[in-house]
């Protein structure tokens, strides 16, 4: 993701520089799988989804703790794009903490 993509005036500049880093093939495969799933998926009206959400039971458990999600940086040197993921050390990163009062934060009652 590129921050401020819509406001960067140089976003259409191109160059002949040799590419040093590329996304790993697992990223490309996941994108292609997601595209086929999206194309096959059925479209539903928002009102139908809202009704399903209303009828879903509310989960209440104080003993269950979900660890913060972790991700990996799948940008690798260009010569390692086709190597198996198990042979490459991917840089681990933690997700950004949610701001107080955001929609993704669990509510306590």
């Amino acid at each position: 993701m590129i921050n401020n993509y819509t406001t960067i005036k140089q976003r259409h500049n191109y160059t002949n520089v040799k590419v040093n880093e590329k996304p790993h093939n697992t990223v490309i495969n996941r994108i292609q799988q997601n595209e086929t799933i999206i194309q096959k998926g059925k479209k539903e009206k928002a009102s139908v989804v809202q009704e399903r959400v209303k009828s879903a039971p509310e989960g209440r458990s104080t003993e269950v703790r979900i660890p913060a999600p972790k991700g990996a940086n799948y940008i690798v040197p260009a010569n390692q794009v086709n190597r198996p993921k198990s042979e490459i050390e991917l840089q681990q990163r933690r997700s950004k903490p949610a701001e107080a009062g955001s929609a993704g934060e669990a509510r306590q009652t």
Side-chain angles (χ1 to χ4, degrees):
M1 185 169 134
I2 301 173
N3 294 331
N4 303 327
Y5 179 77
T6 57
T7 59
I8 298 173
K9 297 197 184 295
Q10 294 85 7
R11 68 180 178 259
H12 298 294
N13 291 353
Y14 298 98
T15 183
N16 290 338
V17 175
K18 181 181 177 186
V19 176
N20 295 327
E21 295 180 329
K22 295 181 178 182
H24 192 263
N25 272 347
T26 56
V27 175
I28 307 301
N29 294 339
R30 188 177 69 231
I31 290 170
Q32 290 172 344
Q33 288 173 354
N34 288 345
E35 285 177 344
T36 57
I37 290 170
I38 290 169
Q39 290 171 356
K40 291 179 183 177
K42 62 179 182 175
K43 295 181 181 180
E44 295 183 3
K45 294 183 179 180
S47 59
V48 174
V49 175
Q50 287 174 343
E51 288 300 318
R52 282 193 198 152
V53 170
K54 286 180 186 177
S55 63
E58 182 177 335
R60 293 193 180 256
S61 177
T62 57
E63 298 174 15
V64 177
R65 296 282 180 213
I66 300 172
K70 293 181 182 177
N73 185 3
Y74 284 89
I75 302 297
V76 296
N79 61 353
Q80 296 182 359
V81 169
N82 294 320
R83 287 183 65 190
K85 193 167 72 168
S86 59
E87 294 180 9
I88 300 173
E89 283 190 37
L90 299 173
Q91 180 183 2
Q92 297 293 317
R93 58 188 166 137
R94 299 191 75 192
S95 64
K96 295 180 182 178
E99 294 181 24
S102 67
E105 186 176 302
R107 295 182 181 156
Q108 305 249 341
T109 54

